[in-house]
Amino acid sequence: MYISSKTHAVVAALTMGCATAMQTSPGEPTSPAITARDLSTRLYIFSDDSMIGRQFGTEGNLKGAQYIANELARLGIQPGNGASYFQDVPAYKVSIAPGAQVILDGAPLAFGTDYVTNFPASGRAAPVDSLQVVYGGDLSDTTTLIPADQAAGRAILLAIRTPLQRNPNQILARYSGARAIITANDPRVMRPWAVTMSTDTTPARVNLVVSLAVAARLVGGDPLAMRTGTPGRWIRFSSIAFTRSQAPARNVIGIIPGSDPSLRGEYVALGAHNDHLGLRFAGPLDHDSLRAYNIMANRIVEARTHATPGTPGGGLTTAERGSIHVNVDSLHRIRPARQDSIYNGADDDGSGSVGMLEIAEAFAKSGTIPRRSLIFVWHTGEEAGLLGSRYFTDNPTVPRDSIVAQLNMDMIGRGGAFDFVGGGPTYLQLVGSRRLSTELGDIVEAVNRSEPIPLTFDYAFDANGHPERIYCRSDHYEYARYGIPIAFFTTGLHMDYHQLTDEPQYIDYEHMRKVAQLVHDVALRVGNLDHRVLVDKPKPDPRGACVQ
Ligand SMILES: [Zn+2]
C-alpha cells in the first residue's frame, strides 16, 4: 500500500516491551496446495534482508522479481509477456548532481544532513538565483499559514509543531506561485534520490527540507516562535542541478491458459506488488526497541480512536509520545540489540506476492483450472505511486478488453486482534468490490460463504470519501480506471506498516492462507462464469484523479 508522501515521518523514542515471534524454518519444498507452511517458507525468502527492501529502481527489487520468475518457471507456468516473465518498466533515477550547492551566508550547506531537495522527474531545476526566505507559518496549523499572494515569488519556510495527520500536498498546492518551499524537519529521514517513470522534461521548482538548525539560521531563531511573514536571510540556489539516469524496474507476469478454447481469450487478472521501501537512509535503529515502541504507540492510537469513533488515527501527539517510557536496558536483558536498517516489507506486499505464487502453484498443479485464462501480475513501483500497474494497464501484454476482472492483494498477513480493535483470525477488509460490478461483489460474498471457515468482511474502508483513501492506494485502481471490475483484499494497516519492523515473524500465516484460498476460489468462480462479470456502474475517466 502506498503513501504519497513520507516527508514528515517522525522517528521514535525507545521503550521496553516484548515482541511475540512465530518462527518457521525456510527452505523446504512447497506443496501444491495453498498452505500456511508454504506461505511462510516463501515469505522468509522474499522478505529476507538479501533483497535489501526491494525498492523500485534498485537491484533489490530485481532480485525479488527474479525469485518470482524462477518460481513460475519451476512450476511450469507460461510467461506473460511473449517469451518473457518480465515486462521492463521505464524508470529513471534522479540524484543531486556532483558539485550542486545551496549557499547560505556564503557557505555551502551539507546535502543529506543540512538539507535535501525534492527530485524533479525531469532532472531539471527551474532556474533561480538568490531568494529571500520568509517565515510562512506552522504546517500543522493551517490558521497560521501565510496567504498565497504573500508567498508569491519568494522562498517560504514552513515549520511543523505537531506531526502531520495528512499528506500536506493539498495544503502546499496553494503556494504554486512561491519560488521555493522550505520545510523544517530532519533531512536524514528523507531519501537522497528518487526513481520516477515520468518522461516529462519540464524544469521544476526545487523545494528543500532543512534541519531545524538550518531553519533557525534562516530566520534568526526558532521559527515556531516567529510571527508569520517574518523576513529571513537570502539563500542561493543557482548551482542546484540533478542527474537523471535509467534505473532497472520490472513487472513479473505469468499466464495459466483457460480450459475452454472459446473463453481462453478472456482473462481473470490477479495482482500484488513486488516492490517495497528499501533502506532507511537515516541509519539503523534497534529493531526490538522500535517494535516495542510501535506496540505502545498502537495501543495509544487504538484507545484514542475507539474512544471517539470517526477520528483519524495518524501519528502520536507530543504529549502521547512523552507518555511512552524508555527502558532499553531491560529489553536488552532478553537479547542484545539488533541494528536494523532494511524495510523488509513482509506484509507490504511480501504477503500478497507470495500469496499469489501459492495461488498460481495451486492452479498449475491441481488440474482444476477455470475456463477463462488467468494472468498473474506482480507489479513494481507500487510504493512509488502505482507506477508498475499504471504502466501495465497502459501497455497490457494481453488485450485490455479481454481482462474481465482484477483481484488485488496488498497486505494480507496481519489483521489480528493484536493489531487493532475488531481484528481477529478471520478479519478481512474488502474494498471496491461493487464499485464497478455489483455482481463481482456478490460473487466474492457467495464464494466466501462456501469456504470451510468464511472470512469476516469489513467494508468500512470502502465508504465513499473515507479519509484513508484505500481504494486509491493500491494497484487495483489502475485497472478500475479502465472500467475493469476489481476487488481489493487486505487485512489492513497496522503498527508495522512502512516500518523497519514489517518482518515475517510477525505474520499470521494461517490467516494469510485463508485470504489466499478465498482469492483462488473467487478467481476460479469468475473464470468459470458463462458470461463476463457484469459492469453496471459508471466507469471512471482513465486519465482523471481517483475518487474514493
Ligand atoms: Zn506500502
Side-chain angles (χ1 to χ4, degrees):
M1 195 122 29
Y2 100 103
I3 180 166
S4 34
S5 169
K6 280 205 64 175
T7 310
H8 304 288
V10 172
V11 178
L14 306 173
T15 184
M16 90 169 265
C18 91
T20 52
M22 176 185 139
Q23 298 285 354
T24 327
S25 53
E28 307 196 349
T30 58
S31 62
I34 300 170
T35 68
R37 184 108 191 138
D38 288 355
L39 289 165
S40 167
T41 297
R42 293 186 182 288
L43 192 56
Y44 272 87
I45 296 168
F46 192 66
S47 61
D48 189 79
D49 279 356
S50 61
M51 303 272 185
I52 329 166
R54 306 187 303 276
Q55 189 179 359
F56 178 59
T58 72
E59 204 60 38
N61 192 194
L62 285 195
K63 288 182 82 170
Q66 189 67 55
Y67 165 73
I68 294 165
N70 290 350
E71 284 298 282
L72 293 177
R74 189 177 68 79
L75 297 169
I77 292 169
Q78 185 179 308
N81 185 22
S84 177
Y85 290 111
F86 299 115
Q87 179 184 45
D88 286 321
V89 171
Y92 306 94
K93 181 173 179 175
V94 180
S95 315
I96 196 97
Q101 287 179 335
V102 173
I103 310 278
L104 174 59
D105 293 335
L109 298 177
F111 180 82
T113 50
D114 288 339
Y115 80 100
V116 292
T117 68
N118 61 324
F119 299 94
S122 59
R124 297 172 64 200
V128 143
D129 189 13
S130 286
L131 287 172
Q132 186 177 22
V133 175
V134 58
Y135 178 54
D138 172 8
L139 196 50
S140 62
D141 177 0
T142 52
T143 65
T144 67
L145 292 178
I146 193 167
D149 59 324
Q150 287 179 36
R154 308 165 89 174
I156 55 168
L157 173 68
L158 300 170
I160 302 169
R161 188 182 299 275
T162 48
L164 301 178
Q165 306 287 320
R166 294 268 167 273
N167 179 341
N169 287 347
Q170 258 180 335
I171 300 169
L172 295 177
R174 73 179 74 166
Y175 296 124
S176 59
R179 300 293 294 280
I181 295 173
I182 303 172
T183 312
N185 205 326
D186 184 352
R188 293 169 307 163
V189 305
M190 309 292 296
R191 214 163 276 153
W193 43 264
V195 178
T196 172
M197 199 174 76
S198 171
T199 51
D200 180 15
T201 55
T202 324
R205 181 174 73 185
V206 175
N207 299 315
L208 306 180
V209 172
V210 299
S211 67
L212 301 183
V214 169
R217 282 171 61 199
L218 287 174
V219 292
D222 179 3
L224 287 167
M226 304 277 166
R227 189 199 306 264
T228 296
T230 302
R233 316 209 44 98
W234 290 75
I235 56 170
R236 199 141 59 77
F237 275 68
S238 48
S239 66
I240 279 287
F242 300 92
T243 59
R244 187 172 186 270
S245 56
Q246 206 125 30
R250 294 176 141 180
N251 292 325
V252 188
I253 311 168
I255 286 176
I256 296 180
S259 61
D260 182 341
S262 68
L263 289 177
R264 195 174 284 163
E266 294 182 356
Y267 294 83
V268 179
L270 295 93
H273 71 88
N274 64 42
D275 68 308
H276 191 56
L277 300 173
L279 288 171
R280 181 173 188 275
F281 290 98
L285 295 173
D286 172 5
H287 178 102
D288 295 316
S289 299
L290 177 62
R291 170 76 175 165
Y293 177 87
N294 289 342
I295 290 168
M296 298 295 290
N298 182 56
R299 279 183 197 150
I300 291 171
V301 172
E302 281 294 298
R304 163 156 49 79
T305 51
H306 287 274
T308 321
T311 55
L316 297 187
T317 65
T318 309
E320 286 169 342
R321 275 207 308 279
S323 73
I324 298 180
H325 297 294
V326 178
N327 195 338
V328 183
D329 288 349
S330 57
L331 194 62
H332 291 164
R333 274 196 288 276
I334 303 167
R335 61 174 158 179
R338 182 170 71 94
Q339 295 296 308
D340 192 356
S341 58
I342 294 173
Y343 291 100
N344 300 79
D347 191 33
D348 185 8
D349 184 24
S351 62
S353 291
V354 305
M356 203 152 79
L357 270 176
E358 277 292 284
I359 293 169
E361 180 177 41
F363 277 119
K365 298 292 182 194
S366 69
T368 304
I369 52 169
R371 299 166 66 196
R372 288 182 181 76
S373 298
L374 300 169
I375 183 164
F376 301 87
V377 187
W378 288 262
H379 308 97
T380 187
E382 193 272 352
E383 301 287 8
L386 315 184
L387 299 185
S389 52
R390 172 152 288 238
Y391 187 79
F392 177 79
T393 51
D394 283 342
N395 306 278
T397 59
V398 300
R400 193 186 299 121
D401 292 347
S402 70
I403 302 174
V404 303
Q406 200 257 359
L407 311 174
N408 186 33
M409 290 165 279
D410 189 356
M411 303 173 62
I412 59 168
R414 297 286 294 260
F418 185 67
D419 283 330
F420 44 81
V421 176
T426 61
Y427 178 87
L428 184 66
Q429 292 173 12
L430 207 54
V431 176
S433 61
R434 288 189 175 85
R435 283 180 175 257
L436 282 157
S437 166
T438 308
E439 184 182 20
L440 179 60
D442 292 348
I443 287 171
V444 176
E445 292 207 354
V447 170
N448 185 49
R449 278 193 300 273
S450 70
E451 298 290 342
I453 307 168
L455 291 156
T456 311
F457 293 159
D458 179 356
Y459 286 103
F461 290 86
D462 196 25
N464 288 335
H466 193 285
E468 289 285 3
R469 299 182 73 251
I470 299 293
Y471 179 60
C472 301
R473 279 173 58 186
S474 189
D475 295 314
H476 54 268
Y477 180 70
E478 300 297 333
Y479 294 77
R481 74 191 167 111
Y482 278 117
I484 298 167
I486 66 94
F488 177 37
F489 303 83
T490 178
T491 47
L493 300 170
H494 51 78
M495 67 188 87
D496 300 309
Y497 168 69
H498 284 199
Q499 301 281 323
L500 294 171
T501 51
D502 183 3
E503 293 200 349
Q505 67 270 29
Y506 307 128
I507 296 289
D508 179 347
Y509 291 95
E510 177 53 24
H511 196 160
M512 190 173 155
R513 182 198 66 76
K514 292 189 195 104
V515 179
Q517 188 66 51
L518 174 67
V519 174
H520 170 281
D521 296 348
V522 170
L524 185 61
R525 183 79 64 94
V526 172
N528 275 333
L529 287 179
D530 60 7
H531 60 283
R532 292 175 71 126
V533 283
L534 192 68
V535 177
D536 60 343
K537 304 279 183 64
K539 298 179 181 184
D541 169 7
R543 299 285 155 210
C546 177
V547 177
Q548 164 90 27

